[in-house]
Amino acid sequence: MADTNFDIIVVGGGPGGYVAAIRAAQLGMKTAVVEREHMGGICLNWGCIPTKALLRTSEVYGLIKHADSFGLSVKDVSYDAKKIVERSRKVANQLSNGVKGLMRKNKITVFDGTAKLAGTEGGQRKLAVAMNDKSSLSLTAKNVILATGARARQLPGLETDGKLVWSYREAMVPPEFPKSLLVVGSGAIGIEFASFFRTMGAEVTVCEVLDRILPVEDEEVSAFAKRAFEKQGMKILTSATASIVKKGANSVTAAITSAGKTQEITVDRVISAVGIVGNVENIGLEGTRVKVEKTHIVIDPWGFTGEPNVYAIGDVAGPPWLAHKAMHEGVVVVEKIAGVKGVHPLVTTNIPGCTYCQPQVASIGLTEAAAKANGRQVKVGKFPFIGNGKAIALGEPEGFIKTVFDAKTGELLGAHMIGAEVTELIQGYGVAKTLETTEAELMATVFPHPTLSEMMHESVLAAYGRTLHI
């Protein structure tokens, strides 16, 4: 029989959960993970990874359609939707199996089931586990980390049905690609699916309740993205709401209301991408000191919930809802539990955010508007892709990099990018912010030529009137 007593038990095997478990094992703790479905969680199985596989396909398809601009001749270009989805699933399965291997490597016990807090026993936390094989189990641990993740939000009048109105899950594994599509919500999830299906040939309409798409991004990035998407043939409707009017055998009619006017559109499918809610139900929070606000567990800077020896990380603990935030949070919480010296709480303004549409979007820290709202005097630099040799050689001259500095101290407050491969560039500014780098140190840094990264340097120079190549 497997051991049932541990130093630490992690409830949920997503990015935050499995990374927390690995770090705990590295620190010599006897560690277990309880996971109800797939190791790797939503990210590896139904989110970050399989969507990137789909978007890579659409990127290649888009390049092929513009092969003539590279001096290439390609005829009779087509695609096989089934094979595209199969490739995406294979990528997800490979990485999920890889996480299982990491659990074995680090001697972490994995229980396939659903766990809930069940009080204490002998001074330790107790968990009741309903195993997937219908058996039940009682586990105990000195500490418990809740990493139960989140799920798609359901809006009244826009409930997903798995056939005509999709969540991200159905959108990832369609039996065939729709010829027309309404995407409700223009955050990262909505825009990535809109970009994918538009590139693959669908007529796409995006409906956003706020006054601009990608609303968490800098206003200039949002405006540039809107123009780029409209140039690709997307229809963008902002300050708008949508509801389902009628479902046909293979189509949906939706009513979209904006500026007091309502129009009806009929599409093959609707994707609802209107945010997420934390998985806080049925995990035993009742009767504990754990507080839940807006479907998320309230934590202190160290992930502590207020209930003795119970911590929370990742999506269930609130924004930003990013896998890399969850991973880092897991490491911080475990090291704090273990008494590791020099542990620092997570600084959310040092967490990059990426959207893998075409063009890509990436950012870190404060937007220009947020910095000014915080009372900062700012210096802002901006450099366009058209001024970069590598961008022109790649055939990717559209986009820009924007940096925001504190005018008094030279602190890098934020960076905002749109264009080719910016999701790979943003971490340079992530390192800079973590090291509390100033404009002087960034200016003195040598960037390789020819690379897209040179634009990062030029944007810093531009903030101080020293740009060289524009």
Side-chain angles (χ1 to χ4, degrees), residues 325-348:
K325 171 258 194 180
M327 292 179 183
H328 192 83
E329 220 167 21
V331 171
V332 168
V333 168
V334 167
E335 291 187 347
K336 185 66 173 178
I337 290 170
V340 174
K341 293 182 179 180
V343 184
H344 298 285
L346 183 69
V347 179
T348 55

Side-chain angles (χ1 to χ4, degrees), residues 75-94:
K75 297 180 180 179
D76 302 322
V77 180
S78 62
Y79 64 81
D80 186 323
K82 182 179 179 181
K83 288 183 178 179
I84 291 172
V85 171
E86 283 178 352
R87 177 180 179 271
S88 172
R89 299 318 306 159
K90 285 179 180 177
V91 170
N93 291 337
Q94 179 180 340

Side-chain angles (χ1 to χ4, degrees), residues 365-422:
L366 300 178
T367 64
E368 179 181 357
K372 289 178 177 178
N374 283 354
R376 303 273 196 140
Q377 292 182 333
V378 299
K379 286 185 178 291
V380 177
K382 197 166 134 182
F383 192 84
F385 270 55
I386 193 67
N388 177 261
K390 181 67 178 293
I392 295 171
L394 290 174
E396 300 283 0
E398 301 294 326
F400 65 84
I401 293 178
K402 177 177 179 178
T403 46
V404 182
F405 290 89
D406 186 296
K408 294 181 178 179
T409 66
E411 177 189 356
L412 176 63
L413 300 176
H416 311 276
M417 311 176 174
I418 183 167
E421 302 302 329
V422 295

Side-chain angles (χ1 to χ4, degrees), residues 24-272:
Q26 289 175 341
L27 291 170
M29 298 185 198
K30 186 180 175 184
T31 307
V33 173
V34 183
E35 169 55 46
R36 67 182 180 183
E37 194 172 3
H38 303 294
M39 289 302 298
I42 294 298
C43 176
L44 264 66
N45 294 280
W46 294 102
C48 325
I49 298 301
T51 53
K52 301 304 105 49
L54 293 174
L55 286 160
R56 174 60 172 166
T57 293
S58 66
E59 180 184 11
V60 172
Y61 187 62
L63 284 171
I64 292 172
K65 289 194 293 184
H66 295 93
D68 184 66
S69 64
F70 294 93
L72 304 174
S73 179
V74 181
K75 297 180 180 179
D76 302 322
V77 180
S78 62
Y79 64 81
D80 186 323
K82 182 179 179 181
K83 288 183 178 179
I84 291 172
V85 171
E86 283 178 352
R87 177 180 179 271
S88 172
R89 299 318 306 159
K90 285 179 180 177
V91 170
N93 291 337
Q94 179 180 340
L95 287 170
S96 181
N97 288 331
V99 173
K100 292 177 184 177
L102 290 173
M103 297 298 99
R104 292 190 295 270
K105 174 187 173 184
N106 288 281
K107 297 179 174 55
I108 297 165
T109 303
V110 177
F111 295 95
D112 299 322
T114 303
K116 63 192 310 183
L117 296 173
T120 60
E121 182 178 287
Q124 294 197 316
R125 300 303 317 188
K126 186 178 178 181
L127 286 173
V129 181
M131 300 291 285
N132 291 347
D133 64 6
K134 307 301 181 182
S135 64
S136 59
L137 199 61
S138 180
L139 304 178
T140 54
K142 295 176 183 176
N143 296 282
V144 171
I145 297 177
L146 301 175
T148 52
R151 62 187 183 277
R153 182 184 299 276
Q154 298 284 347
L155 280 187
L158 199 68
E159 295 88 352
T160 59
D161 60 19
K163 182 186 176 185
L164 298 173
V165 183
W166 292 344
S167 70
Y168 58 84
R169 285 208 177 205
E170 293 82 25
M172 231 172 289
V173 289
E176 58 184 23
F177 289 175
K179 292 183 173 60
S180 57
L181 181 70
L182 169 64
V183 178
V184 182
S186 73
I189 294 173
I191 286 297
E192 285 183 1
F193 278 119
S195 182
F196 171 75
F197 283 109
R198 178 61 196 139
T199 303
M200 301 312 294
E203 294 296 321
V204 174
T205 300
V206 175
C207 174
E208 170 56 51
V209 70
L210 298 178
D211 62 357
R212 59 191 177 95
I213 62 170
L214 295 168
V216 302
E217 301 296 341
D218 187 89
E219 290 182 15
E220 286 190 88
V221 170
S222 293
F224 191 100
K226 182 174 184 287
R227 292 193 298 271
F229 296 149
E230 288 176 335
K231 186 177 180 181
Q232 294 167 14
M234 277 190 215
K235 295 177 182 177
I236 307 288
L237 303 173
T238 54
S239 301
T241 58
S243 61
I244 304 303
V245 174
K246 181 176 64 177
K247 294 181 181 180
N250 203 33
S251 65
V252 186
T253 299
I256 300 177
T257 302
S258 180
K261 297 181 180 179
T262 299
Q263 60 174 309
E264 291 189 358
I265 66 169
T266 298
V267 293
D268 291 345
R269 297 292 183 272
V270 174
I271 294 178
S272 176

Side-chain angles (χ1 to χ4, degrees), residues 11 81 322 389:
V11 181
L322 300 166

Side-chain angles (χ1 to χ4, degrees), residues 379-391 399-405 412 415-417 425 429 439 441-470:
K379 286 185 178 291
V380 177
K382 197 166 134 182
F383 192 84
F385 270 55
I386 193 67
N388 177 261
K390 181 67 178 293
F400 65 84
I401 293 178
K402 177 177 179 178
T403 46
V404 182
F405 290 89
L412 176 63
H416 311 276
M417 311 176 174
L425 296 178
Y429 287 133
E439 94 290 351
E441 291 155 326
L442 285 167
M443 286 181 185
T445 301
V446 179
F447 288 75
H449 173 81
T451 64
L452 298 176
S453 69
E454 291 175 277
M455 291 182 287
M456 299 169 65
H457 192 218
E458 290 280 7
S459 179
V460 175
L461 293 172
Y464 290 84
R466 291 178 49 183
T467 187
L468 298 170
H469 289 95
I470 197 82

